[in-house]
Amino acid sequence: MCLFCPAPSVAPSSPWSARRAFLLAAGASAAAPVLAQVDVGSSSSLRKLVPAETLEQSAAQQYRQMLEQARAKRALAPDNHPQLQRLHAIAKRLIPYATPWNDRARQWRWEVNLIGSSQINAFCMPGGKIAFYTGILDQLKLTDDETAMVMGHEMAHALREHARERIAKTQGTNLALRLGSQLLGLGDLGQAAAGLGGQLLTLQFSRSDESEADLVGLELAARAGFQPSAAVSLWQKMGNASGSKQGGLAFLSTHPSGPARIRELELNVPKVQGLYEAARRNG
């Protein structure tokens, strides 16, 4: 089924532009480091077992493959698609506040794409590769503020390097031994993590990872001028969706909603309310 067929007025020779990706150098307008208003502690040192550059390269390759598959099915939104333009506008407001959470983000080439699918899903891979499915926007009828909370949450997973940490933990002793061999001159450090990128779309984050992403995403969105209370209404919608008969709840299978999650967000909304109000005053 053609989910993003060109309108009749579009010439058949130009339904797709040569480049789908929305690219933005993270350091172009990076915000100055400021004191975080939410408390998520320091990142796990275990992530250092997996080379960040290698994982980001693997993520970029897997992301490109995913886009090519979507393009082949005519399910990749064209640049002029209203929902994709909306996502780009939200991303442009969020990305400048990413660098204080991870200095590597200065080097990332951020991309935001929209895929036509009934799945309620969205993600951000290492290196800033973001994708939304139309199902999460359409079925949940997300406002811009709620969409920003989803995007901020997914960006936070990448900024806090949860995938890098999770892969290090799942690889365990085997990965440590391979990296140890490299330090002794017995192997290639790049090869130790080169095959890990294929796991990125199937990783299950821990409850603490999800909590961190909720709070960091909340602060990112508040600094960008999005209403903090939208984090609560978002997860209320998620909870209602999980209790309904809607299909394709891929996002909720890895991001379960519940009273505890909503309570934690409610407790943290006041902490970032001043950031939101300052952002609105400053335009």
Side-chain angles (χ1 to χ4, degrees):
M1 179 176 66
C2 177
L3 293 170
F4 287 125
C5 289
S9 60
V10 178
S13 62
S14 60
W16 303 109
S17 63
R19 194 178 179 105
R20 292 283 168 250
F22 160 75
L23 302 178
L24 180 63
S29 58
V34 289
L35 183 65
Q37 301 301 299
V38 297
D39 182 14
V40 293
S42 58
S43 297
S44 171
S45 60
L46 281 176
R47 72 190 193 284
K48 295 179 181 178
L49 288 173
V50 177
E53 298 87 349
T54 304
L55 190 59
E56 289 165 12
Q57 290 170 6
S58 295
Q61 181 179 6
Q62 188 175 351
Y63 188 77
R64 286 193 298 270
Q65 291 172 347
M66 180 196 68
L67 295 185
E68 287 302 320
Q69 292 170 358
R71 181 178 292 112
K73 297 176 182 177
R74 306 191 79 175
L76 187 63
D79 294 335
N80 62 357
H81 191 284
Q83 286 184 323
L84 180 58
Q85 292 178 339
R86 177 188 176 203
L87 293 174
H88 285 176
I90 292 170
K92 285 180 179 179
R93 290 170 60 179
L94 292 173
I95 289 172
Y97 298 96
T99 306
W101 290 99
N102 188 330
D103 195 60
R104 289 192 59 78
R106 295 181 187 277
Q107 307 168 29
W108 292 354
R109 295 286 289 172
W110 293 87
E111 301 185 35
V112 183
N113 281 279
L114 176 66
I115 296 173
S117 170
S118 62
Q119 285 190 43
I120 295 178
N121 203 10
F123 58 83
C124 179
M125 298 172 76
K129 308 304 183 186
I130 300 171
F132 270 67
Y133 291 78
T134 53
I136 196 169
L137 300 174
D138 295 339
Q139 294 190 47
L140 299 187
K141 296 180 172 57
L142 298 183
T143 65
D144 284 356
D145 294 305
E146 291 165 344
T147 302
M149 293 300 165
V150 174
M151 190 179 292
H153 173 100
E154 296 308 317
M155 288 171 58
H157 278 307
L159 294 169
R160 296 291 287 177
E161 298 186 292
H162 289 156
R164 192 178 171 199
E165 176 186 346
R166 189 61 37 195
I167 288 173
K169 288 179 178 178
T170 56
Q171 291 293 312
T173 303
N174 180 53
L175 180 59
L177 288 174
R178 292 166 68 187
L179 294 178
S181 296
Q182 191 278 335
L183 294 176
L184 295 173
L186 303 176
D188 182 354
L189 181 60
Q191 291 181 354
L196 301 181
Q199 303 179 30
L200 293 174
L201 289 178
T202 59
L203 282 178
Q204 297 283 330
F205 293 123
S206 68
R207 182 173 298 180
S208 63
D209 290 341
E210 289 299 326
S211 179
E212 279 189 15
D214 281 349
L215 299 185
V216 173
L218 172 66
E219 179 157 323
L220 285 173
R223 289 187 183 280
F226 293 101
Q227 175 61 256
S229 63
V232 176
S233 62
L234 166 67
W235 288 103
Q236 289 171 338
K237 285 184 177 182
M238 290 287 186
N240 292 335
S242 65
S244 73
K245 294 183 179 180
Q246 296 182 62
L249 298 176
F251 189 87
L252 291 173
S253 67
T254 54
H255 302 73
S257 179
R261 186 170 208 155
I262 292 173
R263 279 197 302 272
E264 184 175 26
L265 283 166
E266 288 174 334
L267 289 172
N268 280 274
V269 162
K271 297 179 182 179
V272 301
Q273 187 66 28
L275 300 176
Y276 163 71
E277 293 171 358
R280 299 301 293 176
R281 285 196 302 270
N282 296 331

